[in-house]
Amino acid sequence: MAKVASCSVINGLTDYAHPCQAMADLFTLRELIGKLEGHTLAFVGDGNNVARSLAVGCGKMGMRFVMATPEGYRFDGKFLARLAREVPKLELVVTDDPAEAVQGAVAVYTDVWTSMGQEAESEQRRRDFAGYQVNASLMAKAPRGAFFMHCLPAHRGEEVTDEVIDGPQSVVVRQAANRMHVQKGILAWLLGAQA
């Protein structure tokens, strides 16, 4: 579409990538901690569109990206090649141990285990991700003060528990609010209103 369009094309969401979400998430972290470079973002769950966009964003901001996900849900070779090409300095760590992933993380991020269009896989995914729930026990393994992040909507009781998403470490409402502000910024930049 972008090759034949006479205007800019913004990817608001596809099955493959969710760059506007990742920009809002990294903006939220920047508001909370300042400089992002050198910090670690832990992603627990499916290597989906959100995870892919966060990995690219972390690479561009100098952040380490640690992903805990079971075999079969990890980044494919094509995307790993894209990461190597676009963000060669990205420190990417992939593990099957969520406790290992959250150590040293400034934020713990998760997303639904079953995205739209994958409903037929939901039972299998629940089984495969059973050990990947972000709950109080997992958050306790992250550094004190680590933030909890989610792109919403959440499937409470699956990828995250109520005590975490509603708890003091959760910044999901701030993320949601920042989606609007960051996307307004993208539009202003595209229209030439940047300072």
Side-chain angles (χ1 to χ4, degrees), residues 15-117:
D15 288 343
Y16 191 77
H18 205 346
C20 291
Q21 179 68 53
M23 289 181 73
D25 298 333
L26 294 173
F27 178 81
T28 301
L29 274 179
R30 189 155 190 265
E31 281 185 324
L32 294 165
I33 65 169
K35 184 179 172 187
L36 298 179
E37 187 175 0
H39 289 285
T40 298
L41 177 65
F43 187 92
V44 179
D46 187 16
N48 62 11
N49 55 356
V50 173
R52 282 190 285 269
S53 292
L54 284 169
V56 171
C58 285
K60 290 181 183 285
M61 299 306 295
M63 292 186 76
R64 184 170 175 253
F65 186 78
V66 182
M67 183 168 68
T69 189
E71 286 285 344
Y73 296 96
R74 298 179 177 187
F75 295 151
D76 61 23
K78 184 178 177 183
F79 181 70
L80 290 172
R82 178 183 168 207
L83 283 177
R85 198 172 51 251
E86 291 184 19
V87 285
K89 294 184 180 180
L90 171 67
E91 184 180 349
L92 171 67
V93 178
V94 181
T95 179
D96 60 4
D97 182 357
E100 177 188 330
V102 303
Q103 291 176 14
V106 70
V108 177
Y109 199 120
T110 194
D111 190 7
V112 295
W113 294 339
T114 305
S115 295
M116 291 179 291

